[in-house]
Amino acid sequence: MPSKFSVWYNKLVDFNVESLFAKRKQPGPPRTVFVNEPLPPDYFDHKHRVKKEHIYCSNQVITSKYTILTFVPRNLLEQFRRIANIFFLAIAILQFFSIFSTVSAGLVILPLIIVIAITALKDGYEDIKRHQSDRSVNYSQVRVLTSGEFSNENAMAGKSKTFVRAIVPSFRRSKQKKGRNDGDVEVLQHGAPPEGIHTEGAELTHMPTATEDGVEYDDGEPIEQAGRLFHHRGASRRPHWKVSIWEDLRVGDIVKIMDDEPLPADVLICATSEDENVAYVETKNLDGETNLKSRSACPALTHLNTARACADKRNAFRVECDRPDTNLYKFNAAVVTSDGKRTSVDSNMVLLRGTVLRNTRWVIGVVLFTGEDTKIVLNSGVTPSKRSRVERQMNPQVFINLIILAAMAVACGIVDAVLEQHYFPLDAPWLYGDTQSDDNPRINGLVTWAFALITFQNIIPISLYISIEAVRTCQALFIYFDKEIYYEKTDQATLARSWNLSDDLGQIEYIFSDKTGTLTQNAMVFRQCTIAGRVYKGDEIESDVTPVGVPEAEDKVDNRSSSSTPPSAKKSSASTSSTDAISDPLAAKAVKKAEHVLAHFHDETLQADIAAAQEAVSGSAEDKHGRMLNGFWTVLALCHTALVSVDPDTGAIQYKAQSPDEAALVQAAADVGFVFRGRDREVLTLQTPFSQMGGNGGGGAKYERYELLNVLEFTSARKRMSVIVRKLGEDGEPDGKVYLLAKGADNVIIERLSAGQDELVRITEDHLSEFASEGLRTLTLAYKVIPEAQYEAWATRYHEATVSLGEREAKVEAVSDEIEHDLSLLGATAIEDRLQDGVPEAIADLREAGIKIWVLTGDKLETAIAIGHSTNLIGREDNIIIIRGGGEGHTPVYGQMLKAVEEFFPESGILQDEGVGLDENTLPQYQQQAGGYPLQRVNTGVSSLVGHNNGERPGGFILVIDGSALTHALSDDKHKHLLLRLAMQCEGVVCCRVSPLQKALVVKLVKDGVGALTLAIGDGANDVSMIQAADVGVGISGEEGLQAVNASDYAIAQFRFLKRLLLVHGHWCYARNGNMIVNFFYKNIICIGVLWWFQIYCGWSSQYVFDYTYLLFWNTFWTIAPVIGIGLFDRIVDDHVLMAMPELYRHSRNHEYFGTKLFLIYMFDGVVQSAIIFFLITYSYTSTTARSDGYDIARLEFSTNIAIGAVMAANLFNGLNTHVWTGWIFFAVALGIVLVWAYTAIYSIISPGWFPTLVYGNDHYLFRSPLFWFSILLVTILALLPRYIAKAYKMSFMPNDLDRARYIYKLDPTHDFSKDRHGGLANVSISSVRKRELGRHRPRLFHGSRTDMSTGLRSVDRGFDFATEENGVAIQRIQSHLSERHQAAAPAKRRRNPSTLMQSFSIGRTLRRKKHTSQSSSVHPNDEPSFSSPGSPGSPPESPPQHKS
């Protein structure tokens, strides 16, 4: 049991200043937002004031720490958490009493004031930058509905006065707002609150039909009709959109958001510019995903598509909402219109603050939550006041010194009181007159105690803190000017935003990293594919566009608008459909690279095979392979939900997909000649080289059209997506062929194949393994021809399942599984997700340094695992343990974790832990579920599934856990304890589908549960909470934005720079600061030791042994330079050695450079040296007189010798503790010695006529005495000798890796230390340098085994990735259209010109190193898939291949 003192001390140390000044507002109750309606009477109290629970917070978001009012008290509280500051304040106050004064009381307190003032200025400067960043976002602009008829009566709280706002008078701001058009809102490119800065600036430059006052009309009437002659104060009562700033936004306001603008609050969608009232948003700032999400308008509000309609009193409504919630994926509300009709609202109808509108010209919505009630702010943390571990460790050491000081003072007081009471009755002459009330033997002991505190106060060095601040500031500059971590592409240097955490960089034990934008570039390349057993390895085509042929009939179609129309003209009014503002994709003659897709795909062998198939005779080998090619690329071109747009500058097709990998797949099909031209509700348009015989590339081809019948959507359990389409004839009527096109994970697709394809399956699986071993992520494609009668019967069952009320998901899955069988294999794809440069190497080196890396991402489980393989986080021989949360039919999360411990770590001691085990609540459920899911299953014969040897592989274990499982695992202490114990057994952890708040909770779990120093790195606003929760936060400020930089302590441009930041700068800073601090304590204890030993000879009266000025200048002139030199210029070993040998970081990570043990050793060294100096010199001078005239010496004569000897010993001892002697170190060590000698010589000749001195003439006796010179030389050597012998012995007989590395580098500056990795230095003898060729081993990217603890299934992982928005509005909308059409009595008339309105769908990404060799193989299975081709013999098919029955 801890003692009461330790409990009290821990509470004091852990006291959080933020709890006093930054209390987070608790989420309010459920709210009702009234839109253009008055508030009900029950919202008011008896004084007709709105009740507190119905007052909503403003939209002002403040991330800064201080205000004008709180700056002084809060900053003082933070600084006086240092025990030393409290002590110095007490000593300064004590000396304001005349009885205790030594020099001027104001002069005594001046150093403390200077230290506090400098620190406060630094903190204030950092916070001013935060305020400027806040202002850049809070003053961003938004269009708000304004009208004489529209009123918003929802009550709002007042805005806070902040640092900057309180300085700038409000009347000045109001004057600046008038008539401003383009220059009054300050946008700072280097900071913003969590949701990030406005895209390209804070002002709204695109305002169609706008006036000079920032007013926009969308009713098509001339602006002049809104004249000001008859309007109050010139304000128009005609409904319009008025530009306002974000912080003035109110709950209940109706806003209009334009394309590429960020959302200022959580907004319910009323109407959009797109068909079907759909909007597309980028949620990167929320969940880290760059894929676009689709959102739809509330059906009851879609008529509110103009300002006039929104302001109409007849369209008033109210929204009943739940209380503010942190769950990003949960939103429950209901819209109640004026006629009393209720319409439910879910998360698919809401745009959250922090998201950015994309590919949608405008959205009109009503504000539901503002400011601190928005989900992104609820998921962000309070800006913390971080303190380094070294600083926290200094408090106990200062406390130890305080105890020593108290003991010394008590000893002096007691002994002095005893001596005075003994000698006063004996009429001792030195006690003459001690009969006053404040000067007598009874009270003098207490006075002596107080004097002792003042005399020995230097044992607590006040200059230490200011020295540390100065050194850390310079270390931040060293980091900033390091060219090795400077990114030329963006002109971005590594920036230390928090100067007091540099030494923490050298003690990091856990790194928590985001994935998207942090590890990856989020840029895709379609690398390879295998079709019918042949591998095609394409070349990268860097050109921006690839030409495609256009049929003559289609080439004559008039474009809806010219591609040269400027963007500002295309987005004209709220009532114009966006389809009228883009070029016709059917007439586009080129395909442009999609966003985040790096290259076009081109393969000469593939083009030759297509050309050969076009000329092939029916039934020949070329014809059969051509059918497979046609089927493969048709599946890629049709089985997706991508959006087709036309670039206004080039007139080329550009695919807009929900993820870059999906866009890469569709674009690759277009590059080959299978161009997806768009979708018009249920009609898909496709151009293929096989449509009709024509020129190369399909120049004379006609378009094929397919009717979309059903979409069997992707889920993480299905791991596949299928579409069912019907081929349409030239007249638009069905031709009777129904196809199922499927893509998914290899094991899922292969086990659903028809019989007779064993040879093709074997070859394809070999190719898949080759792709996966290179780090590429794979996708397997298959198809099936469905007889019409079979489809009609199945469609009826499927429709019944989709409309069922009970267990709908299970029924839909069962019916879908019925038809996804007997497939014909076509091939597989392999795409690369480009990692940032150097990421795999950096992660491998950081792991070798002993740092555990956890990846926390919002991506799906398969994506996260694939990135784990690509980044070397998951090695070839590693074992993967999967913990998944799920509903019924899955093992409980606690049971999964417990089963993993039993299976893989039975001897770890976890099972014997009292806090681990099943209680009465979890035991029955665990027993029921766990028995039904064995941890292995038999091999299906079509996929290499790992059996019992999972867990016996030579590699380590990697834990993969998803967000829903984390929700349970973090729910209580019992789950947290088991999760932490399990994770500690694993070499790495991957958390997927996690929310921003969960990221922070995971960091706190490790930080508090293990007590380790943590580092979090990310680039988005979804990483802010994680960055703030970690001991050190690093923000990526490269090309993905600056959202995370605002909350970070260090800003870097690339992940690979983290290696040098930790291994070099972190190691150096920690070694320097730790060495500087212990040497600082040493040099002060040697001075105090000399004063203490003198008390034996002065009656314990707290008298100074030497002149007070020597003590006064001790920490300012005599001994300050060497310790500052250590902090700035010492190098434990050179940087290239630290980079070449990451394992050297363990010396820093294991806290070898600073700690209580090292502190006590240096303190003891100081005490011993002070005794040597004092007693040797004292007894040398007392044996015989040193004067030539025979007179006895004075006190200040021999004590000056002691002072000089102590200064020389302290400075040379500091120099002895440096690891590299540079010119600066020589200068620093010599400076104090030269100054004390010069001061002694000059001070001794100052005449008393100038001012009284007690050492006048001292030079006459000192410098002429041989004893003076000999004693200084003797005591200096004897004082340093023990440390010198200890260092020499350690270097000769007990060297560590750092000693060996320094010695080798000294003898051989060209030595290649990369060959000494993995323990190579341990075999190096100090007496000679042996060079060993020790290769640098890197794990080859390959698949590892994995065990899914929720189902007990074990399988090989080939890097498959499949991602889409499950149950998203895109799939729901398509399904609803299909359901409506099935219910219709007559078929709907199809449009001939399909539009491009289609959602996107995500497929996996991966990484590989490009291979320069290519190979292909051919296979002709016995049961060859055939095409149904109506053309002449040998003509290529018009449709996907049909499997022979």
Side-chain angles (χ1 to χ4, degrees):
M1 290 292 294
S3 64
K4 292 183 178 180
F5 174 78
S6 63
V7 172
W8 172 84
Y9 178 78
N10 290 332
K11 287 183 178 180
L12 181 65
V13 171
D14 296 335
F15 170 70
N16 191 359
V17 177
E18 288 82 24
S19 62
L20 296 178
F21 297 94
K23 292 183 178 180
R24 294 299 296 267
K25 174 181 174 291
Q26 295 298 322
R31 66 176 61 181
T32 299
V33 180
F34 297 89
V35 183
N36 214 4
E37 285 186 357
L39 300 180
D42 60 351
Y43 269 47
F44 300 92
D45 59 15
H46 65 282
K47 294 184 178 180
H48 202 68
R49 294 177 303 189
V50 178
K51 295 179 181 178
K52 184 177 181 180
E53 61 266 25
H54 301 305
I55 298 177
Y56 310 128
C57 64
S58 72
N59 201 40
Q60 184 185 48
V61 174
I62 300 174
T63 62
S64 52
K65 293 165 54 177
Y66 306 113
T67 66
I68 286 290
L69 297 179
T70 65
F71 175 72
V72 173
R74 181 173 179 177
N75 191 262
L76 287 178
L77 273 177
E78 289 178 355
Q79 294 201 54
F80 279 97
R81 286 191 294 181
R82 296 171 173 171
I83 296 177
N85 285 347
I86 298 176
F87 168 75
F88 289 123
L89 179 63
I91 292 297
I93 293 174
L94 190 65
Q95 294 186 66
F96 272 88
F97 297 95
S98 59
I99 191 173
F100 302 117
S101 62
T102 54
V103 292
S104 170
L107 187 62
V108 170
I109 202 172
L110 183 61
L112 179 63
I113 294 176
I114 293 175
V115 170
I116 292 177
I118 292 176
T119 305
L121 288 174
K122 176 185 74 74
D123 294 341
Y125 173 77
E126 292 177 352
D127 204 60
I128 285 176
K129 304 303 290 184
R130 294 191 188 98
H131 278 279
Q132 292 173 339
S133 301
D134 292 342
R135 179 184 171 90
S136 70
V137 170
N138 290 329
Y139 272 49
S140 297
Q141 295 180 341
V142 63
R143 298 169 178 83
V144 182
L145 177 66
T146 305
S147 170
E149 301 178 4
F150 180 81
S151 63
N152 182 4
E153 299 190 15
N154 297 282
M156 302 292 293
K159 295 181 291 186
S160 300
K161 292 290 185 179
T162 63
F163 215 43
V164 176
R165 288 177 58 84
I167 294 175
V168 183
S170 58
F171 70 89
R172 289 187 60 187
R173 293 198 304 270
S174 61
K175 287 182 180 180
Q176 291 172 354
K177 289 182 183 178
K178 289 186 178 181
R180 68 182 179 188
N181 202 20
D182 58 357
D184 60 315
V185 177
E186 178 185 4
V187 177
L188 300 176
Q189 294 298 321
H190 293 281
E195 66 272 10
I197 61 173
H198 190 288
T199 305
E200 302 297 339
E203 297 177 357
L204 303 179
T205 56
H206 165 63
M207 293 189 62
T209 64
T211 67
E212 294 181 357
D213 294 331
V215 175
E216 175 185 339
Y217 299 91
D218 60 4
D219 52 12
E221 299 180 12
I223 296 177
E224 289 75 17
Q225 293 184 8
R228 300 180 178 179
L229 181 59
F230 302 104
H231 298 300
H232 179 63
R233 294 184 181 178
S236 173
R237 297 180 59 85
R238 174 181 164 196
H240 60 273
W241 303 105
K242 176 71 174 178
V243 171
S244 180
I245 59 176
W246 280 21
E247 68 175 22
D248 290 339
L249 206 59
R250 297 161 50 89
V251 171
D253 278 346
I254 297 180
V255 297
K256 181 178 180 182
I257 310 298
M258 306 300 288
D259 192 18
D260 293 331
E261 290 181 3
L263 271 296
D266 292 351
V267 175
L268 172 64
I269 305 175
C270 297
T272 78
S273 61
E274 308 303 301
D275 290 348
E276 307 171 26
N277 280 297
V278 176
Y280 301 94
V281 292
E282 181 182 80
T283 61
K284 178 177 62 178
N285 291 337
L286 288 177
D287 53 23
E289 297 185 16
T290 56
N291 53 300
L292 300 182
K293 304 291 196 316
S294 56
R295 300 290 182 261
S296 61
C298 178
L301 305 177
T302 53
H303 59 286
L304 304 180
N305 56 4
T306 64
R308 187 178 297 277
C310 294
D312 194 337
K313 287 286 186 181
R314 295 170 296 179
N315 294 330
F317 62 94
R318 66 180 185 271
V319 184
E320 299 175 354
C321 309
D322 276 348
R323 63 185 298 173
D325 188 9
T326 59
N327 191 335
L328 298 175
Y329 310 104
K330 175 186 175 184
F331 195 95
N332 294 322
V335 172
V336 183
T337 54
S338 56
D339 57 1
K341 183 180 179 181
R342 297 177 62 89
T343 304
S344 63
V345 173
D346 58 22
S347 59
N348 285 324
M349 301 178 187
V350 177
L351 300 178
L352 301 180
R353 175 170 179 149
T355 59
V356 180
L357 190 67
R358 300 292 190 196
N359 297 336
T360 308
R361 291 180 41 245
W362 54 262
V363 164
I364 293 176
V366 58
V367 176
L368 299 183
F369 296 98
T370 53
E372 294 184 1
D373 290 335
T374 57
K375 290 186 180 293
I376 189 171
V377 179
L378 288 173
N379 274 277
S380 64
V382 177
T383 304
S385 297
K386 295 183 179 180
R387 302 168 65 207
S388 69
R389 170 176 279 183
V390 167
E391 184 175 344
R392 294 196 300 268
Q393 288 177 324
M394 280 173 57
N395 265 352
Q397 296 172 5
V398 172
F399 198 75
I400 292 173
N401 279 5
L402 279 176
I403 294 175
I404 297 174
L405 174 63
M408 295 167 67
V410 169
C412 287
I414 292 175
V415 176
D416 180 69
V418 171
L419 291 178
E420 287 200 21
Q421 292 179 19
H422 174 71
Y423 286 105
F424 184 77
L426 300 178
D427 296 328
W430 62 86
L431 298 177
Y432 178 76
D434 286 2
T435 58
Q436 308 297 322
S437 60
D438 58 349
D439 184 11
N440 61 76
R442 294 182 178 180
I443 196 67
N444 281 350
L446 182 61
V447 175
T448 300
W449 171 82
F451 265 119
L453 293 179
I454 298 173
T455 301
F456 304 127
Q457 64 175 304
N458 272 13
I459 196 173
I460 313 293
I462 188 174
S463 56
L464 171 60
Y465 291 103
I466 194 65
S467 300
I468 291 176
E469 295 290 344
V471 165
R472 285 173 172 166
T473 301
C474 294
Q475 289 171 351
L477 293 176
F478 292 159
I479 293 174
Y480 180 80
F481 289 113
D482 188 350
K483 291 297 183 181
E484 298 294 328
I485 47 179
Y486 167 78
Y487 194 45
E488 294 184 2
K489 184 176 180 180
T490 57
D491 191 27
Q492 179 66 43
T494 297
L495 178 65
R497 293 171 52 86
S498 296
W499 299 341
N500 61 330
L501 300 177
S502 57
D503 37 63
D504 276 355
L505 293 174
Q507 305 172 76
I508 298 301
E509 299 175 63
Y510 288 85
I511 292 177
F512 299 89
S513 175
D514 180 39
K515 181 191 74 69
T516 306
T518 302
L519 300 178
T520 67
Q521 299 180 26
N522 208 35
M524 305 294 169
V525 177
F526 187 97
R527 278 295 185 196
Q528 303 181 43
C529 61
T530 172
I531 307 174
R534 297 185 186 179
V535 174
Y536 297 98
K537 299 183 178 181
D539 300 322
E540 291 186 29
I541 305 299
E542 299 295 342
S543 62
D544 194 44
V545 296
T546 294
V548 293
V550 179
E552 295 181 1
E554 303 290 350
D555 195 21
K556 298 177 181 179
V557 177
D558 293 334
N559 292 345
R560 292 188 180 101
S561 65
S562 173
S563 61
S564 61
T565 306
S568 59
K570 294 175 189 271
K571 305 175 183 178
S572 57
S573 69
S575 59
T576 305
S577 174
S578 64
T579 56
D580 296 331
I582 60 173
S583 300
D584 185 4
L586 299 179
K589 298 182 179 181
V591 175
K592 184 180 179 180
K593 283 191 299 188
E595 187 178 5
H596 298 297
V597 176
L598 295 180
H600 291 280
F601 178 76
H602 177 77
D603 187 273
E604 293 291 346
T605 305
L606 176 61
Q607 296 298 328
D609 288 349
I610 292 176
Q614 289 177 326
E615 305 294 335
V617 178
S618 178
S620 63
E622 290 79 7
D623 178 63
K624 293 179 181 179
H625 189 67
R627 298 174 189 273
M628 298 292 283
L629 293 173
N630 186 24
F632 180 91
W633 294 109
T634 299
V635 171
L636 272 189
L638 296 181
C639 189
H640 59 80
T641 55
L643 176 72
V644 177
S645 65
V646 176
D647 181 67
D649 298 325
T650 62
I653 287 177
Q654 187 175 26
Y655 295 109
K656 305 288 187 179
Q658 286 190 353
S659 64
D661 44 339
E662 177 73 1
L665 292 171
V666 183
Q667 179 184 291
D671 294 335
V672 175
F674 292 76
V675 185
F676 176 63
R677 290 284 180 172
R679 170 179 169 269
D680 183 8
R681 294 182 71 87
E682 293 87 29
V683 178
L684 311 177
T685 303
L686 177 66
Q687 173 186 345
T688 78
F690 295 106
S691 298
Q692 179 180 328
M693 297 296 294
N696 293 337
K702 294 183 178 180
Y703 294 151
E704 296 179 0
R705 288 181 170 84
Y706 294 85
E707 178 185 7
L708 180 62
L709 300 176
N710 301 95
V711 177
L712 309 183
E713 60 187 275
F714 166 85
T715 66
S716 56
R718 283 169 44 82
K719 296 186 179 179
R720 63 190 183 278
M721 174 191 178
S722 301
V723 296
I724 301 177
V725 297
R726 178 185 283 117
K727 182 73 161 49
L728 300 179
E730 294 184 3
D731 56 356
E733 296 300 322
D735 66 354
K737 299 183 181 67
V738 178
Y739 302 98
L740 182 143
L741 313 178
K743 63 182 180 182
D746 58 297
N747 60 324
V748 174
I749 295 296
I750 291 176
E751 66 185 8
R752 285 167 171 78
L753 298 177
S754 60
Q757 305 181 63
D758 294 345
E759 182 64 17
L760 178 58
V761 168
R762 184 188 62 79
I763 296 176
T764 303
E765 283 193 321
D766 290 342
H767 293 162
L768 285 169
S769 297
E770 179 184 348
F771 296 160
S773 68
E774 296 172 354
L776 300 176
R777 279 176 285 169
T778 59
L779 198 65
T780 306
L781 310 183
Y783 78 102
K784 175 183 180 180
V785 178
I786 309 174
E788 187 70 28
Q790 178 185 350
Y791 170 73
E792 294 297 338
W794 175 87
T796 302
R797 296 194 303 275
Y798 181 77
H799 177 68
E800 293 173 353
T802 57
V803 298
S804 63
L805 298 179
E807 299 181 353
R808 178 183 301 174
E809 291 79 8
K811 293 180 180 179
V812 170
E813 166 61 22
V815 177
S816 300
D817 193 62
E818 290 179 9
I819 203 166
E820 291 176 320
H821 281 284
D822 298 325
L823 304 178
S824 297
L825 180 63
L826 292 170
T829 63
I831 62 174
E832 171 189 349
D833 180 6
R834 285 278 177 87
L835 298 177
Q836 289 188 12
D837 295 339
V839 165
E841 292 78 9
I843 288 181
D845 288 340
L846 290 172
R847 292 184 67 186
E848 189 174 338
I851 301 174
K852 291 189 176 182
I853 300 177
W854 292 29
V855 174
L856 312 178
T857 177
D859 284 340
K860 294 189 178 295
L861 184 143
E862 295 292 347
T863 312
I865 292 177
I867 288 297
H869 285 293
S870 303
T871 58
N872 283 343
L873 183 64
I874 303 176
R876 174 181 179 181
E877 300 296 338
D878 286 343
N879 307 277
I880 304 174
I881 303 174
I882 300 176
I883 306 294
R884 292 196 302 176
E888 298 180 1
H890 287 80
T891 306
V893 172
Y894 194 86
Q896 293 182 49
M897 294 190 293
L898 196 60
K899 194 68 175 177
V901 174
E902 294 175 352
E903 178 75 10
F904 303 115
F905 312 109
E907 300 180 358
S908 61
I910 299 178
L911 297 176
Q912 288 73 38
D913 193 331
E914 294 181 358
V916 174
L918 297 171
D919 53 26
E920 61 275 6
N921 296 324
T922 57
L923 181 60
Q925 187 180 15
Y926 171 68
Q927 289 176 340
Q928 179 182 358
Q929 296 289 344
Y933 294 95
L935 283 180
Q936 56 185 351
R937 66 173 181 176
V938 296
N939 200 326
T940 62
V942 294
S943 181
S944 300
L945 302 180
V946 177
H948 61 277
N949 65 335
N950 189 49
E952 299 176 1
R953 290 176 175 267
F957 286 85
I958 303 295
L959 176 64
V960 180
I961 183 169
D962 66 10
S964 57
L966 269 179
T967 302
H968 297 284
L970 299 173
S971 60
D972 55 44
D973 292 339
K974 188 177 182 67
H975 281 77
K976 287 181 182 178
H977 182 68
L978 180 56
L979 173 62
L980 187 61
R981 291 296 303 273
L982 175 61
M984 292 303 101
Q985 301 297 320
C986 300
E987 292 187 355
V989 177
V990 178
C991 301
C992 51
R993 300 302 289 171
V994 292
S995 67
L997 192 58
Q998 283 179 322
K999 290 184 176 184
L1001 292 176
V1002 170
V1003 174
K1004 291 178 180 177
L1005 175 68
V1006 176
K1007 179 181 175 182
D1008 299 335
V1010 182
L1013 270 184
T1014 58
L1015 180 146
I1017 179 171
D1019 74 317
N1022 60 309
D1023 304 315
V1024 168
S1025 297
M1026 174 179 70
I1027 287 173
Q1028 291 177 334
D1031 294 287
V1032 179
V1034 178
I1036 300 288
S1037 60
E1039 302 174 7
E1040 294 294 334
L1042 302 165
Q1043 296 88 350
V1045 171
N1046 228 23
S1048 68
D1049 304 303
Y1050 291 88
I1052 61 178
Q1054 293 280 285
F1055 181 88
R1056 69 178 185 272
F1057 294 162
L1058 186 64
K1059 174 186 172 183
R1060 183 173 178 87
L1061 186 65
L1062 297 185
L1063 302 189
V1064 176
H1065 289 285
H1067 200 155
W1068 276 355
C1069 290
Y1070 177 48
R1072 288 167 173 172
N1073 293 352
N1075 197 14
M1076 178 185 73
I1077 292 170
V1078 292
N1079 277 277
F1080 220 110
F1081 281 117
Y1082 152 80
K1083 74 180 185 63
N1084 276 38
I1085 201 65
I1086 194 175
C1087 173
I1088 298 304
V1090 169
L1091 297 179
W1092 170 254
W1093 300 126
F1094 180 65
Q1095 302 309 306
I1096 301 173
Y1097 304 96
C1098 69
W1100 303 89
S1101 60
S1102 303
Q1103 179 71 323
Y1104 299 107
V1105 62
F1106 38 67
D1107 188 83
Y1108 180 73
T1109 56
Y1110 285 96
L1111 182 63
L1112 186 65
F1113 297 144
W1114 182 269
N1115 283 322
T1116 53
F1117 294 112
W1118 311 148
T1119 60
I1120 191 66
V1123 289
I1124 295 294
I1126 291 175
L1128 293 180
F1129 306 113
D1130 191 20
R1131 290 197 305 273
I1132 193 75
V1133 72
D1134 278 31
D1135 57 341
H1136 71 279
V1137 180
L1138 294 173
M1139 290 290 285
M1141 302 186 66
E1143 61 264 33
L1144 295 179
Y1145 186 78
R1146 75 174 185 272
H1147 296 280
S1148 180
R1149 183 173 50 83
N1150 292 336
H1151 322 301
E1152 295 182 8
Y1153 304 125
F1154 188 69
T1156 303
K1157 179 181 177 181
L1158 198 62
F1159 162 77
L1160 293 176
I1161 292 175
Y1162 274 76
M1163 292 287 288
F1164 178 76
D1165 218 336
V1167 172
V1168 172
Q1169 293 185 29
S1170 67
I1172 293 174
I1173 294 171
F1174 178 81
F1175 288 110
L1176 277 178
I1177 293 180
T1178 299
Y1179 284 107
S1180 297
Y1181 274 88
T1182 56
S1183 58
T1184 59
T1185 178
R1187 295 188 179 184
S1188 58
D1189 57 7
Y1191 285 95
D1192 199 3
I1193 61 170
R1195 173 178 60 87
L1196 294 180
E1197 189 175 330
F1198 84 94
S1199 65
T1200 302
N1201 198 359
I1202 293 175
I1204 296 176
V1207 169
M1208 292 187 62
N1211 285 7
L1212 292 174
F1213 182 83
N1214 293 158
L1216 191 63
N1217 290 324
T1218 59
H1219 300 91
V1220 56
W1221 278 77
T1222 63
W1224 287 108
I1225 296 295
F1226 275 105
F1227 172 78
V1229 170
L1231 179 63
I1233 298 175
V1234 171
L1235 287 178
V1236 74
W1237 279 90
Y1239 176 79
T1240 301
I1242 296 173
Y1243 191 42
S1244 300
I1245 63 175
I1246 295 178
S1247 171
W1250 297 354
F1251 56 85
T1253 63
L1254 299 177
V1255 294
Y1256 174 68
N1258 217 6
D1259 59 310
H1260 177 76
Y1261 299 103
L1262 288 180
F1263 298 152
R1264 297 181 180 183
S1265 171
L1267 186 58
F1268 169 77
W1269 300 100
F1270 178 75
S1271 61
I1272 287 182
L1273 180 63
L1274 178 65
V1275 298
T1276 302
I1277 294 175
L1278 290 180
L1280 300 180
L1281 192 60
R1283 174 54 63 104
Y1284 179 81
I1285 293 174
K1287 291 177 72 73
Y1289 178 84
K1290 180 180 179 299
M1291 183 68 180
S1292 301
F1293 301 103
M1294 300 173 59
N1296 58 23
D1297 290 343
L1298 295 170
D1299 297 326
R1300 294 185 179 96
R1302 283 194 298 269
Y1303 187 76
I1304 293 172
Y1305 181 64
K1306 178 179 177 61
L1307 297 183
D1308 182 12
T1310 62
H1311 182 76
D1312 185 5
F1313 285 92
S1314 63
K1315 298 179 180 180
D1316 296 320
R1317 297 181 67 162
H1318 312 293
L1321 285 178
N1323 301 319
V1324 177
S1325 173
I1326 292 298
S1327 59
S1328 63
V1329 178
R1330 288 167 38 193
K1331 298 181 179 180
R1332 298 186 58 197
E1333 295 292 333
L1334 187 62
R1336 183 176 181 176
H1337 302 289
R1338 291 270 185 204
R1340 183 168 176 255
L1341 295 178
F1342 199 73
H1343 55 80
S1345 66
R1346 71 186 198 181
T1347 301
D1348 191 331
M1349 301 308 299
S1350 66
T1351 60
L1353 300 183
R1354 289 177 172 165
S1355 64
V1356 155
D1357 179 75
R1358 286 198 177 97
F1360 158 77
D1361 169 45
F1362 205 90
T1364 187
E1365 185 182 5
E1366 295 188 30
N1367 301 318
V1369 68
I1371 296 295
Q1372 292 177 9
R1373 188 175 68 256
I1374 295 175
Q1375 300 285 25
S1376 63
H1377 289 323
L1378 298 176
S1379 299
E1380 292 172 1
R1381 189 168 54 83
H1382 282 304
Q1383 295 174 359
K1389 185 176 180 180
R1390 300 180 182 89
R1391 294 166 59 183
R1392 298 290 297 182
N1393 296 324
S1395 70
T1396 63
L1397 299 178
M1398 190 163 184
Q1399 291 278 63
S1400 60
F1401 175 81
S1402 169
I1403 300 180
R1405 301 161 292 193
T1406 190
L1407 166 102
R1408 66 179 279 272
R1409 294 185 178 88
K1410 183 178 178 182
K1411 296 185 65 176
H1412 299 286
T1413 60
S1414 62
Q1415 60 183 9
S1416 62
S1417 60
S1418 177
V1419 62
H1420 302 282
N1422 297 329
D1423 191 8
E1424 179 69 35
S1426 64
F1427 290 99
S1428 176
S1429 175
S1432 59
S1435 62
E1438 294 186 77
S1439 60
Q1442 176 181 2
H1443 183 67
K1444 285 185 178 181
S1445 58

